[in-house]
Amino acid sequence: MPDCASSPAPATMIDGAAPGLAGRGPFRPEAWLNARQRSSVRLAVYYFRAVDVVVTVGLALAALWSLGDLDPRTLTLGAVMPLALGAVALLSLLRGLGLYRFGPNPAPLIHLACVVVAGVAATGAACGLGLALGQGLGPVIPWGVGTTVVLIVLHSLWLALVARWRRQGALSPNIVVVGATRNAEALIERALERRDLNVLGVFDDRLARSPDSLAGVPVLGAADALLSHRILPYIDRIILAIDAEAGPRVRALTERLETLPNPLTILVDSETGRNAVLTRLAGAPLAQIGGGVSPDGRAFVKRLQDLIIGGLALVAAAPVMAVIALAIRLDSPGPIFFRQRRHGFNQEAIVVWKFRSMRHAAADATASRQITAGDDRVTRVGRFIRATSLDELPQIFNVLTGEMSLVGPRPHAIGMKTGDTESALLVAEYAHRHRIKPGMTGWAAVKGSRGPVNTEAEVRRRVELDMDYIERQSFWLDLWILLITVPVLLGDRAAVR
C-alpha cells in the first residue's frame, strides 16, 4: 500500500466551474467527489467497525455451537463468560489502538501487527478467565486464532481500499484560501509538497492588487464572491491567510465568512504555524454530514436510522402512494411526480421528489413564487395531498439515496423568494441551515414554521429553529420529531401548504 509520498498532488480549479472539469498535475478528474459522497466515504470506517463486531461475535457463537455448547438447555454462564470477555476485550483493543483512524500516513505492517497483538491479548484474557472458572480452554483457542486470522484479512482489504480512496483524493480535504498574500503562497507551496490536501482556489477582497494565480492556484474572485460561489459544496475548510497586522480586515472577513457552513481556520504567519495547520487539516474530518457538533459517529447513526426507518416507511406507504399516483393521473394531465432543484447538504444542489399537486404548466414557477392561500395553480387532488403533506411521501427515495434525511431542515427551492428578495439574502446565518442534510420533517416544521415564509421575521425564525436543531441533534430527538410530526401537521389547519 503506497504512503502519502506516492499520492497525487493537490488539484486546483482553473476556472469558476464545478470541480471535475479540470485539474492540474497527476490528480485525475474522477477524484472529485461532491461533499455528500466524500463524507459518505469517511463514514465507511464505521461500517468497518460494524463488520468487526459481527465477525467477532459470530465466530464466538460458532465456536460454542461447534462444541455443542450452544444448546440453551445446557448452556452455562461459565461457558459463555470467557468468550464474552475475549470478544469485548478484542473490540475494545481494536478501537483503543486507533485501528479505525486510517490517518494520512498509514503504516500497514504496524496496523496489522496491532491486530495480532489485540487478538493475542484478548485470547489470553479469555483463557485466563476460562481456567479460573474451571472451564478449561474449550472453544477459546479456536475462537481466538480464527478471529485473529479473519480480522487480519479484513483489515488488509480495508487498508488497500483506504489507500485507493486516498489516491483518488476522496479522503484528501478540499480547501480554499482567502487572501492572496505571501503567507497564502507559502501555504500553497507547502501543501503541494506534502500532497495530502487539495487546494481548489484563492479568493481575495482586493482583486485590483491580486495576481491571476498564486503558486499556480487560480484567484477565483473577491472574498464576497465565495459566499455564493458554486465551489462551496466541495469545500471542507476555508483558510483565512491575512497578515496578522491587518486586525480590522481579519475581523471583518471572519464575520462575513462565519455565515457559511464551511469550517474556518485562521493561518498563523510562520513556518511552524503553517506546518501545524497543514498537518491538522490533512488528518481532519471532511465536511461533516451529521450536524454542527456531531462527528462522523453521529452521522453514521443518523444514516442507519434513515435506512432502517426509511425502508420500513417505504413498505408501509407503498399502497397509499399507489392510490395517490392513480388519483393524480385521473385528476389532471401531466406527470405524477414533480421534481425540483433544492439546496441540500453544504448547499449542494439536489433534485427533490414530490407528488405533483399543481397544474403541470404552473409547476416550474414554484421556485420563485411561493404557494399562497387559495392558490389557483393547485389541483383538486393537490389540495388534499398538500393539506395532509402526502405530497412529500416520494422524498423517502431521496432519504434512501442519501440526499436527504428523515429529520432535518426542510429543503428550500434554489432561488426561493420572500417578497421580492431571495430568502437566503435576508438572514446572514441562512447558509448554516445546510450544515446538515435536509429532512422530510424537522424541528422547525413541528414548531409551526412550515410552508411559505412571507416576511424577514419568518425567515429568521425558521433559521433559528433549524440552527437549534443542528446543535441539539440526536437519535432520540429525531425519534421524538418523527412521532409527533403526523399529529402536529394534521392538527394545524392554519398553515398554508
Side-chain angles (χ1 to χ4, degrees):
M1 172 178 167
D3 57 20
C4 284
S6 60
S7 300
T12 60
M13 294 179 57
I14 61 173
D15 54 31
L21 300 181
R24 61 191 288 273
F27 196 88
R28 296 191 301 272
E30 63 267 24
W32 294 107
L33 297 169
N34 63 33
R36 178 171 53 84
Q37 291 169 324
R38 286 162 55 79
S39 294
S40 297
V41 166
R42 191 69 177 230
L43 293 186
V45 167
Y46 293 87
Y47 293 101
F48 296 165
R49 188 182 299 173
V51 171
D52 279 359
V53 172
V54 171
V55 167
T56 303
V57 175
L59 289 179
L61 294 175
L64 286 172
W65 176 79
S66 66
L67 297 179
D69 291 335
L70 203 56
D71 189 340
R73 296 169 296 181
T74 59
L75 190 64
T76 64
L77 187 61
V80 173
M81 285 183 64
L83 286 174
L85 174 64
V88 171
L90 178 55
L91 294 171
S92 299
L93 285 169
L94 290 174
R95 182 173 182 179
L97 292 171
L99 301 186
Y100 299 109
R101 294 198 184 115
F102 298 105
N105 295 292
L109 292 180
I110 294 177
H111 183 110
L112 296 178
C114 288
V115 174
V116 174
V117 169
V120 170
T123 304
C127 289
L129 182 59
L131 293 173
L133 295 175
Q135 296 293 318
L137 300 183
V140 172
I141 296 296
W143 167 82
V145 174
T147 303
T148 302
V149 171
V150 172
L151 289 179
I152 289 173
V153 173
L154 287 175
H155 279 252
S156 298
L157 294 174
W158 295 338
L159 286 167
L161 184 59
V162 169
R164 179 187 176 192
W165 285 338
R166 286 203 177 279
R167 287 195 301 271
Q168 292 177 337
L171 292 177
S172 299
N174 289 340
I175 66 173
V176 296
V177 179
V178 176
T181 62
R182 292 189 302 274
N183 193 19
E185 186 173 18
L187 172 83
I188 294 170
E189 290 174 347
R190 185 72 182 115
L192 289 170
E193 293 174 7
R194 293 170 56 101
R195 299 170 175 261
D196 53 8
L197 291 169
N198 300 320
V199 186
L200 306 188
V202 177
F203 292 83
D204 195 283
D205 58 346
R206 300 180 178 182
L207 281 179
R209 288 192 269 170
S210 300
D212 293 334
S213 64
L214 202 65
V217 176
V219 177
L220 300 178
D224 284 339
L226 178 59
L227 301 179
S228 58
H229 202 282
R230 63 196 305 182
I231 200 178
L232 277 175
Y234 304 89
I235 299 173
D236 294 306
R237 188 168 292 270
I238 299 169
I239 308 299
L240 183 57
I242 305 299
D243 295 332
E245 304 83 52
R249 187 180 173 209
V250 171
R251 286 192 293 273
L253 282 172
T254 300
E255 289 177 0
R256 276 184 282 170
L257 296 175
E258 281 182 343
T259 63
L260 295 171
N262 314 73
L264 177 66
T265 294
I266 298 178
L267 180 64
V268 178
D269 188 11
S270 70
E271 183 66 24
T272 303
R274 279 192 294 273
N275 284 328
V277 167
L278 289 169
T279 299
R280 190 166 61 249
L281 292 176
L286 304 182
Q288 292 181 1
I289 196 170
V293 297
S294 169
D296 292 336
R298 184 179 294 182
F300 175 73
V301 172
K302 191 170 178 65
R303 182 62 183 143
L304 286 183
Q305 168 188 304
D306 288 339
L307 288 173
I308 295 171
I309 300 178
L312 295 174
L314 179 60
V315 173
V320 177
M321 294 173 70
V323 172
I324 294 173
L326 178 61
I328 292 173
R329 175 66 71 188
L330 296 175
D331 180 55
S332 62
I336 293 172
F337 296 105
F338 170 61
R339 294 174 295 175
Q340 188 179 59
R341 285 167 54 82
R342 300 192 177 191
H343 283 301
F345 165 68
N346 213 24
Q347 301 196 107
E348 177 190 2
I350 62 173
V351 177
V352 172
W353 290 72
K354 296 179 66 174
F355 281 121
R356 181 175 59 84
S357 60
M358 305 176 67
R359 289 181 288 105
H360 182 45
D364 292 336
T366 56
S368 58
R369 177 186 165 192
Q370 299 187 63
I371 296 294
T372 58
D375 201 307
D376 59 3
R377 295 174 294 170
V378 181
T379 64
R380 290 174 299 173
V381 171
R383 291 191 185 93
F384 172 75
I385 61 176
R386 292 185 73 91
T388 56
S389 294
L390 292 174
D391 61 323
E392 311 283 356
L393 284 178
Q395 289 170 28
I396 295 176
F397 296 115
N398 290 107
V399 171
L400 294 178
T401 58
E403 295 171 318
M404 292 178 58
S405 183
L406 290 170
V407 182
R410 288 292 298 146
H412 288 173
I414 296 175
M416 185 184 78
K417 293 184 178 180
T418 298
D420 295 327
T421 306
E422 189 174 337
S423 302
L425 302 179
L426 295 176
V427 180
E429 299 84 2
Y430 186 92
H432 283 273
R433 300 179 74 251
H434 307 130
R435 287 161 52 198
I436 193 169
K437 280 194 265 187
M440 291 185 64
T441 184
W443 186 238
V446 300
K447 285 291 187 178
S449 179
R450 53 187 172 273
V453 280
N454 299 309
T455 66
E456 180 179 341
E458 290 178 353
V459 177
R460 184 171 296 280
R461 179 169 183 266
R462 180 167 298 182
V463 171
E464 289 174 351
L465 289 169
D466 288 337
M467 292 177 65
D468 182 43
Y469 166 76
I470 290 171
E471 298 302 325
R472 297 172 52 197
Q473 189 274 324
S474 69
F475 170 78
W476 298 110
L477 179 59
D478 283 359
L479 194 59
W480 171 248
I481 292 172
L482 289 172
L483 289 174
I484 66 173
T485 289
V486 173
V488 166
L489 292 182
L490 293 181
D492 184 2
R493 300 298 180 186
V496 177
R497 297 197 288 270

